[in-house]
Amino acid sequence: MANVEKIEKKLLDLIDNENSFAIALTGEWGIGKTRFWKSFYEKNHIDLGVNKYSYVSLFGIDSIEALKFEIAISTHETTQKKDYLSGLKGIFKKSLDAIDLPNLEGSGVTLSLGKGLLNSAITSLIGDTLICIDDIERLSKNIDIKDVMGLVNHLSLEKNCKVVVILHEGKADKDFIEYKEKVFDEVLTLDNSLSIIKESIVNNELFPIYEIFYQTMDIKNIRFYQRVERTLKAILDNSDDDLSFTSKQQILEALLIIRMAHDMPSTFDNTIDFDFFVKSFSSPRVDELRSYDFDLAFKLDENRLDDEEKVEVARKFKVMDDVISQFYSYFELSGWSKIITDLLISLDAESDVIEELSRLDRLTETQLESDRKKQDLMAEYRNLNSDQSFNQRLFDNIKDRIDREAFPNLSFHYNILEKNGSPELANQFEELVKHYIEERVKKGPEEWLIGDYYLRTPVTPDIFYNFLLQKINDQKKGLALNTDASTLSEIFMRFCKHGNDSEDFFEAIQNISKENFSSVVWQPLDDGIDRIKYIRELLKHPAFKVKIAKFNNEDRLDTAIWHYQELVNAQKPPPFIHQPVIMQSKLNEVKRWTLELLQKRLVEKPNSKAAIEHLLELTNNLESI
């Protein structure tokens, strides 16, 4: 393996030699070839066996003459770590286009040059120089690589220069393969960037984690590790100051995997993207995929034969899991690793990550210790190695994680306790989860989206799923009974402006009283909405058009059924079981109320008569809404 130290020694030997040379410094994309070279020059520039040095990037250079000029003007003494006159030289370069006969003053000699003489004059200044030409893959379409290779050969053989060309051989023009044996004396390949990466790591105690990842996953791109380090700093800056080394290690290990999947998903497979990674490793999907039985999937029994898509999903997951498990066994996106994943999906800048993290609960040692214990418990469970204390330890761990666990996991943990013969612990856990559900659902409609709890309807019985549905429905009914005029006015204004007709409020609208409806009709309007348009829009609300099943006594069918259940449970005959059911909507009633309100407004505001009659003409007395 050609590591940094070996290449440095080789370069020093070559440069100290009196002979000129041309060398290609290659390596895979992002491994740090440019960084290595600049670091090498800064460390050794005083002791190099040359007096002059020039570094040039081909990016932005569009002619061979411009390349020669750039080499000449970038040349400086090797006693300098860098070219301290680069700023003045930049000003000079810009001035060349502004004058026809520029004066170049150097070494006490004034050179009056026309643009036609510029190339030959500058070329004559280049000699006995260590020259580095970088970014050859970014060569302009206006320059032929043959000309670049010819110049490298000329500088080496005719100008006694020592030339180093930095390139990613895999991306370079195919002509490079033809010319490298003719032009270059040696090709040095940098294929280990670990020591370069170490320079980017602020927390040296964590470097062994980077090193294990580097060696295990074979990811050498320096920019990748720089991004990991910046994100890690953002996380640690917004966590407890007393995090242990174990906790920092835990954060970094998860972050390396997440960043790898985010930045270079092709590490797994060219058909895998970050979105698939997130869905696959999020709990409880990860457990389903890990337990997938390929042999069972391909059984001839039609009831066992899975469709091709399902098999392909399981195959792709196995590819990812096999790669990740080399570094991180039983990886799972949960808790803080899930939060970091969500941030990487939605945010690009580390500053945004820091800002978002600062709004979240700080990452604490207690949380991370809890995560570690859970991972150990699940490993014990999967390895069929649970001892007598397992159920109690599991309960003690998960009871404090209810708000951080995926909901299907809560049912999974409950089932473990129950099946392991600990009904008391199972019942205690059930009570804690149901209390959490009740308190969360009480917070309001923003907590009533089933998708926030379950990504899909559970396939197997889930003790908490139906309870959650019932509590959400109870809250919706309560909203229908208790929605005040102010809230209803906001609901209708949102509908008129944005078409927002959430079914969560349908029952509240269907039960609206005449008094509250009057408040809704005459509420202050936002700019851009006139009363005629507003009245026409609010009467279009879908909730008014929904037909409601009622008995002759005006009981709604759902209410009647609820009373009927009460009576059945009490062993009493239902008094209205044979009552005929009628179907009604609220629309006719609110139209009648609207006409009454408009008539009343005619009395209060006589000068509104023309506008009211106009509204009624437009709508055929509200029949054509």
Side-chain angles (χ1 to χ4, degrees):
M1 180 178 289
N3 58 30
V4 169
E5 291 76 15
K6 290 181 180 179
I7 293 182
E8 281 186 348
K9 185 178 184 308
K10 181 68 175 179
L11 284 170
L12 284 172
D13 291 342
L14 288 168
I15 295 171
D16 285 343
N17 193 296
E18 293 182 1
N19 297 327
S20 61
F21 62 73
I23 291 175
L25 177 60
T26 72
E28 67 184 63
W29 191 266
I31 199 170
K33 299 180 293 295
T34 300
R35 184 171 181 141
F36 160 78
W37 173 259
K38 289 183 176 180
S39 175
F40 167 80
Y41 176 77
E42 287 182 6
K43 284 193 297 183
N44 301 290
H45 66 97
I46 294 177
D47 300 321
L48 295 175
V50 291
N51 296 321
K52 294 186 294 181
Y53 170 67
S54 177
Y55 171 85
V56 176
S57 168
L58 284 174
F59 181 64
I61 295 178
D62 59 3
S63 70
I64 200 71
E65 289 75 18
L67 173 57
K68 295 175 185 178
F69 175 68
E70 194 69 32
I71 292 172
I73 203 168
S74 298
T75 301
H76 60 85
E77 299 293 326
T78 53
T79 54
Q80 299 175 334
K81 185 181 292 188
K82 62 180 181 178
D83 186 2
Y84 295 107
L85 297 178
S86 59
L88 291 175
K89 292 176 180 179
I91 295 173
F92 167 71
K93 284 192 290 183
K94 290 181 180 178
S95 70
L96 288 179
D97 290 332
I99 55 179
D100 291 328
L101 296 172
N103 291 323
L104 298 180
E105 184 172 328
S107 303
V109 180
T110 300
L111 303 174
S112 297
L113 300 173
K115 288 185 178 179
L117 300 176
L118 187 61
N119 178 39
S120 59
I122 287 178
T123 302
S124 68
L125 296 176
I126 304 173
D128 302 307
T129 305
L130 173 63
I131 301 170
C132 178
I133 300 176
D134 199 357
D135 295 320
I136 202 166
E137 311 81 35
R138 304 170 82 177
L139 188 66
S140 168
K141 294 180 180 179
N142 297 325
I143 306 179
D144 194 321
I145 195 169
K146 295 179 183 179
D147 294 332
V148 176
M149 291 297 142
L151 176 61
V152 170
N153 195 50
H154 175 74
L155 291 171
S156 172
L157 298 179
E158 304 296 330
K159 294 294 182 178
N160 198 40
C161 291
K162 301 179 178 184
V163 186
V164 176
V165 177
I166 299 176
L167 71 155
H168 176 193
E169 187 173 340
K171 293 288 186 180
D173 190 284
K174 63 181 181 180
D175 288 337
F176 169 73
I177 307 299
E178 175 186 345
Y179 285 96
K180 75 174 182 178
E181 293 183 0
K182 299 178 181 178
V183 174
F184 295 108
D185 298 287
E186 288 202 44
V187 176
L188 303 180
T189 302
L190 181 67
D191 60 10
N192 187 327
S193 56
L194 197 56
S195 60
I196 302 174
I197 292 168
K198 190 173 183 179
E199 297 174 6
S200 304
I201 308 305
V202 176
N203 197 329
N204 285 330
E205 68 172 349
L206 293 175
F207 179 70
I209 309 302
Y210 285 100
E211 186 173 11
I212 293 170
F213 180 85
Y214 180 97
Q215 293 170 343
T216 304
M217 310 308 289
D218 199 33
I219 291 178
K220 301 173 182 177
N221 190 295
I222 289 178
R223 294 181 184 87
F224 167 79
Y225 292 98
Q226 290 172 334
R227 287 192 291 270
V228 170
E229 181 70 9
R230 287 196 299 269
T231 309
L232 177 66
K233 183 178 185 301
I235 297 169
L236 296 182
D237 285 348
N238 288 276
S239 59
D240 270 6
D241 295 333
D242 298 328
L243 288 183
S244 66
F245 169 76
T246 304
S247 291
K248 293 175 183 177
Q249 174 183 342
Q250 179 183 348
I251 296 169
L252 176 56
E253 287 173 345
L255 181 57
L256 283 163
I257 295 298
I258 295 167
R259 262 294 184 188
M260 177 180 72
H262 181 269
D263 294 4
M264 44 190 71
S266 59
T267 303
F268 305 121
D269 187 311
N270 288 329
T271 65
I272 294 172
D273 58 20
F274 186 60
D275 183 57
F276 181 79
F277 164 82
V278 173
K279 290 178 180 177
S280 300
F281 282 95
S282 295
S283 182
R285 179 65 167 158
V286 61
D287 291 320
E288 297 175 13
L289 290 171
R290 277 205 177 101
S291 61
Y292 188 81
D293 190 330
F294 281 95
D295 292 333
L296 192 62
F298 289 107
K299 286 189 76 171
L300 294 178
D301 179 357
E302 291 184 1
N303 295 325
R304 295 292 189 184
L305 185 61
D306 284 342
D307 59 66
E308 292 182 6
E309 182 179 358
K310 189 173 182 180
V311 173
E312 176 63 8
V313 167
R315 182 200 67 79
K316 288 162 66 174
F317 170 80
K318 189 175 187 308
V319 169
M320 293 189 296
D321 201 33
D322 286 347
V323 171
I324 292 171
S325 62
Q326 300 175 69
F327 174 74
Y328 194 126
S329 298
Y330 298 111
F331 178 78
E332 176 183 319
L333 289 173
S334 62
W336 267 80
S337 63
K338 183 67 168 67
I339 292 173
I340 298 305
T341 303
D342 293 340
L343 291 177
L344 289 178
I345 293 173
S346 58
L347 305 174
D348 295 323
E350 272 66 24
S351 58
D352 291 335
V353 175
I354 294 172
E355 182 180 350
E356 183 64 20
L357 283 170
S358 66
R359 291 197 290 266
L360 301 169
D361 291 334
R362 296 177 72 83
L363 186 57
T364 67
E365 182 69 22
T366 302
Q367 290 172 331
L368 290 164
E369 177 64 21
S370 174
D371 289 348
R372 288 195 292 274
K373 286 182 178 178
K374 182 204 170 184
Q375 187 176 19
D376 291 343
L377 284 162
M378 290 299 98
E380 188 176 332
Y381 169 82
R382 285 187 289 261
N383 290 325
L384 309 180
N385 193 31
S386 304
D387 60 21
Q388 290 183 347
S389 67
F390 176 81
N391 293 341
Q392 185 65 54
R393 287 185 289 118
L394 177 63
F395 173 78
D396 291 340
N397 178 261
I398 59 175
K399 69 182 176 65
D400 297 322
R401 299 173 55 86
I402 292 172
D403 61 337
R404 296 199 293 134
E405 284 286 345
F407 255 69
N409 274 358
L410 298 178
S411 181
F412 172 68
H413 295 318
Y414 169 84
N415 290 334
I416 291 176
L417 293 173
E418 186 180 49
K419 291 177 181 178
N420 278 356
S422 294
E424 291 185 4
L425 293 178
N427 291 337
Q428 288 182 54
F429 183 63
E430 179 183 358
E431 290 178 7
L432 289 172
V433 174
K434 287 184 174 179
H435 176 73
Y436 169 73
I437 291 172
E438 288 178 329
E439 293 303 311
R440 182 170 170 180
V441 170
K442 283 179 183 177
K443 292 179 181 179
E446 68 276 5
E447 300 290 348
W448 297 351
L449 298 175
I450 296 296
D452 290 343
Y453 302 84
Y454 293 88
L455 295 178
R456 58 186 180 278
T457 303
V459 177
T460 56
D462 186 306
I463 187 174
F464 302 118
Y465 183 73
N466 289 332
F467 180 83
L468 173 65
L469 293 180
Q470 183 61 52
K471 290 302 169 183
I472 291 175
N473 288 333
D474 290 347
Q475 287 295 314
K476 289 181 178 180
K477 288 182 178 180
L479 180 69
L481 295 174
N482 299 305
T483 304
D484 57 22
S486 175
T487 303
L488 286 167
S489 295
E490 291 179 9
I491 292 169
F492 278 104
M493 183 57 71
R494 285 199 300 269
F495 171 71
C496 291
K497 291 174 66 175
H498 307 297
N500 187 326
D501 60 347
S502 171
E503 293 185 8
D504 291 340
F505 299 99
F506 270 34
E507 193 166 356
I509 294 170
Q510 290 162 2
N511 287 330
I512 191 170
S513 67
K514 184 176 181 180
E515 180 182 0
N516 283 344
F517 183 76
S518 175
S519 298
V520 168
V521 169
W522 301 122
Q523 71 164 309
L525 300 180
D526 293 346
D527 293 339
I529 299 180
D530 60 69
R531 190 76 57 183
I532 290 177
K533 177 182 177 181
Y534 172 68
I535 291 173
R536 295 181 67 183
E537 289 300 315
L538 72 86
L539 290 176
K540 294 178 183 178
H541 197 288
F544 289 144
K545 299 177 183 178
V546 173
K547 291 188 177 181
I548 308 162
K550 291 185 178 181
F551 295 105
N552 284 334
N553 64 0
E554 291 299 313
D555 269 341
R556 286 174 60 125
L557 184 57
D558 54 358
T559 304
I561 289 175
W562 183 79
H563 286 302
Y564 170 68
Q565 278 301 126
E566 290 282 305
L567 292 166
V568 168
N569 293 338
Q571 301 294 317
K572 296 178 181 177
F576 43 71
I577 192 169
H578 298 298
Q579 289 189 41
V581 174
I582 57 176
M583 303 296 291
Q584 293 181 343
S585 72
K586 190 76 173 180
L587 184 58
N588 289 333
E589 188 174 23
V590 295
K591 282 182 179 179
R592 186 174 69 252
W593 291 347
T594 305
L595 290 172
E596 292 173 3
L597 290 171
L598 293 174
Q599 188 61 40
K600 185 177 179 181
R601 177 54 61 103
L602 276 174
V603 176
E604 295 171 349
K605 304 281 186 178
N607 289 333
S608 296
K609 180 179 180 181
I612 291 173
E613 288 184 351
H614 179 61
L615 168 61
L616 296 177
E617 288 172 3
L618 286 173
T619 61
N620 188 25
N621 287 327
L622 304 183
E623 291 301 317
S624 303
I625 294 297

